[in-house]
Amino acid sequence: MATDTVHRFGAFGGRYVPETLIPALDELDAAFAEAMRDPDFQRDLDRLLKEYVGRPSPLSSAPRFSEAVGCTVYLKREDLNHTGAHKINNAIGQALLAQRMGKRRIIAETGAGQHGVATATVCARFGLDCTVYMGEEDMRRQALNVYRMRLMGARVVPVLSGTRTLKDATSEAIRDWVTNVNDSYYIIGSVVGPAPYPRMVRDFQSVIGREAKSQMQEQAGRLPSAVVACVGGGSNAMGIFHPFIGELSVELIGVEAAGKGLETGEHAASLQKGVPGVLHGALSYLLQDESGQVHPAHSISAGLDYPGVGPEHSYLKETGRATYVSVTDDEAVEGLGILSRLEGIIPALETSHAVAWVVNEKGRWKKGDAVLICISGRRDKDLAQITEMGLLPA
């Protein structure tokens, strides 16, 4: 377990893992630091983000949605990336790092399937062996993404334990890594896990915020009043927040999943209702029962259905630099419909939580204020699920 501040965000983070993984984490930490100093690595990453992912992703105005909520809203369009979400930014970076380290077998976990798809995509691109762990319940909810992963040659392993969702998939991926640490590379999909993963994923995802900051200055002539993003593990939010952290005039707002309501206990609002604890190798806010056991999370969105959160988000909460709120399943579905009807942009259910919160906060901002929402992913993967549930209008 690391005690030095390099591996932590305040009290949060660290390495709570079996001793067998410490040498692998040290190797990864050193390789990442070396790669980030290497101009050739940076050139390769920038080229792939441009030519393969399609970056920079656009910053879109949202005039009709803006009129509805009473301020100027801009949308950072990660849904327009190759594979349809922000996950590809991190997957590309870590795949390049795996190649640099000589690792040819890739392990990943996935909830909504977008990280699994992104990992399968980069493994196909680089000719790497790919195994993705996915909860059986999430495989049912996200059948399209399972098909996409398998089409690109990935082995998708159903996880039948626990709630059969993201937490359990992550646990199985870590077990695989412990067993095969010498020849395998674990591409974690969010800003979670033992150091250096939270910092590494954040740095690969911060391209979102760097672009958005520059685009806001160019298109709006100013920084936003607020940046709003959904939070499960929290990689899209950390990616867009990070370049704005030093801009104290910009409010940072993370939207968690309130599920069926915070009062019901069926939610995934770790930062609002959790307490500090250890999950998947790091100390962070965590949903726990009276005995200290992990409490099952619930969200209509497979990507937010996780009982923990990245340790840097816990640090931002503790220091007050970011504010964390929540939105219910029903409100998220309503947010999806509102943005779809007003702008012709159908967001993923994860993103719909951020959209819904801005709708709910109508009147919070003045007409001259600018709000930036991270559209972390698109709708394809969710439409079958919400149609099956009878939640789409006739």
Side-chain angles (χ1 to χ4, degrees):
M1 181 181 72
T3 56
D4 60 294
T5 55
V6 172
H7 293 140
R8 292 182 182 272
F9 306 94
F12 301 102
R15 292 176 174 176
Y16 298 80
V17 297
E19 288 297 319
T20 54
L21 284 183
I22 295 299
L25 290 168
D26 285 341
E27 178 191 21
L28 177 61
D29 204 358
F32 175 63
E34 182 183 86
M36 297 304 277
R37 292 192 298 266
D38 185 346
D40 289 337
F41 181 88
Q42 293 294 336
R43 275 193 294 271
D44 286 344
L45 178 59
D46 290 345
R47 176 180 57 79
L48 285 162
L49 289 173
K50 178 180 179 181
E51 296 176 2
Y52 193 67
V53 177
R55 305 205 70 89
S57 65
L59 186 75
S60 297
S61 61
R64 297 189 67 218
F65 184 78
S66 298
E67 185 177 353
V69 299
C71 64
T72 303
V73 176
Y74 292 89
L75 310 175
K76 182 55 174 166
R77 300 292 305 280
E78 294 300 292
D79 58 314
L80 295 180
N81 292 340
H82 179 42
T83 73
H86 68 292
K87 295 292 188 181
I88 190 75
N89 305 322
N90 169 58
I92 284 276
Q94 290 205 56
L96 283 175
L97 193 57
Q99 282 193 309
R100 185 183 181 96
M101 296 172 69
K103 308 279 188 176
R104 304 293 302 174
R105 179 177 182 264
I106 303 298
I107 307 161
E109 87 296 328
T110 197
Q114 286 301 119
H115 174 59
V117 168
T119 302
T121 300
V122 298
C123 286
R125 174 66 174 77
F126 297 131
L128 304 172
D129 181 78
C130 182
T131 298
V132 179
Y133 289 91
M134 189 173 189
E136 185 183 47
E137 171 63 14
D138 288 339
M139 291 180 72
R140 182 192 64 78
R141 291 193 285 186
Q142 304 293 335
L144 175 61
N145 277 344
V146 175
Y147 175 76
R148 293 168 75 191
M149 285 182 270
R150 287 175 171 162
L151 185 63
M152 289 183 285
R155 176 175 174 246
V156 183
V157 180
V159 176
L160 309 181
S161 59
T163 57
R164 298 170 294 134
T165 56
L166 180 57
K167 172 184 75 69
D168 311 293
T170 304
S171 297
E172 287 300 317
I174 291 173
R175 288 189 189 101
D176 184 327
W177 191 34
V178 170
T179 305
N180 300 288
V181 68
N182 291 329
D183 67 350
S184 299
Y185 183 105
Y186 180 18
I187 299 184
I188 286 183
S190 196
V191 285
V192 299
Y197 278 109
R199 174 169 46 89
M200 188 166 68
V201 176
R202 178 203 70 194
D203 287 354
F204 285 137
Q205 291 292 4
S206 65
V207 65
I208 305 171
R210 292 196 304 272
E211 288 178 4
K213 192 173 184 181
S214 175
Q215 290 166 327
M216 283 295 302
Q217 292 283 22
E218 182 180 343
Q219 294 176 222
R222 53 164 295 179
L223 294 178
S225 308
V227 178
V228 185
C230 64
V231 174
S235 64
N236 91 95
M238 206 65 250
I240 198 167
F241 286 177
H242 187 62
F244 288 100
I245 286 175
E247 305 289 350
L248 299 184
S249 65
V250 180
E251 191 175 14
L252 306 177
I253 299 166
V255 187
E256 297 188 292
K260 296 181 180 179
L262 296 182
E263 71 287 351
T264 69
E266 296 187 59
H267 59 76
S270 306
L271 287 162
Q272 289 190 280
K273 290 295 185 179
V275 294
V278 174
L279 178 65
H280 297 141
L283 176 67
S284 191
Y285 272 79
L286 170 64
L287 298 179
Q288 302 177 63
D289 63 20
E290 297 80 2
S291 303
Q293 299 299 307
V294 177
H295 189 283
H298 165 78
S299 173
I300 190 173
S301 162
L304 303 185
D305 197 352
Y306 184 67
V309 68
E312 192 168 5
H313 283 294
S314 295
Y315 176 70
L316 293 178
K317 169 189 166 70
E318 290 279 291
T319 59
R321 180 60 190 94
T323 301
Y324 295 91
V325 297
S326 59
V327 158
T328 66
D329 290 347
D330 289 344
E331 290 170 325
V333 172
E334 185 177 353
L336 183 152
I338 289 171
L339 191 65
S340 301
R341 291 190 296 273
L342 292 182
E343 296 294 340
I345 297 170
I346 308 174
L349 278 170
E350 291 81 9
T351 296
S352 299
H353 286 70
V355 172
W357 186 81
V358 172
V359 172
N360 291 346
E361 292 295 307
K362 179 181 178 180
R364 180 188 180 100
W365 300 285
K366 303 186 296 293
K367 189 173 183 180
D369 289 336
V371 173
L372 171 61
I373 304 176
C374 186
I375 305 298
S376 59
R378 66 184 180 223
R379 68 286 176 189
D380 313 49
K381 65 186 181 59
D382 298 315
L383 292 186
Q385 177 191 351
I386 59 178
T387 301
E388 179 184 312
M389 296 172 70
L391 298 175
L392 283 180

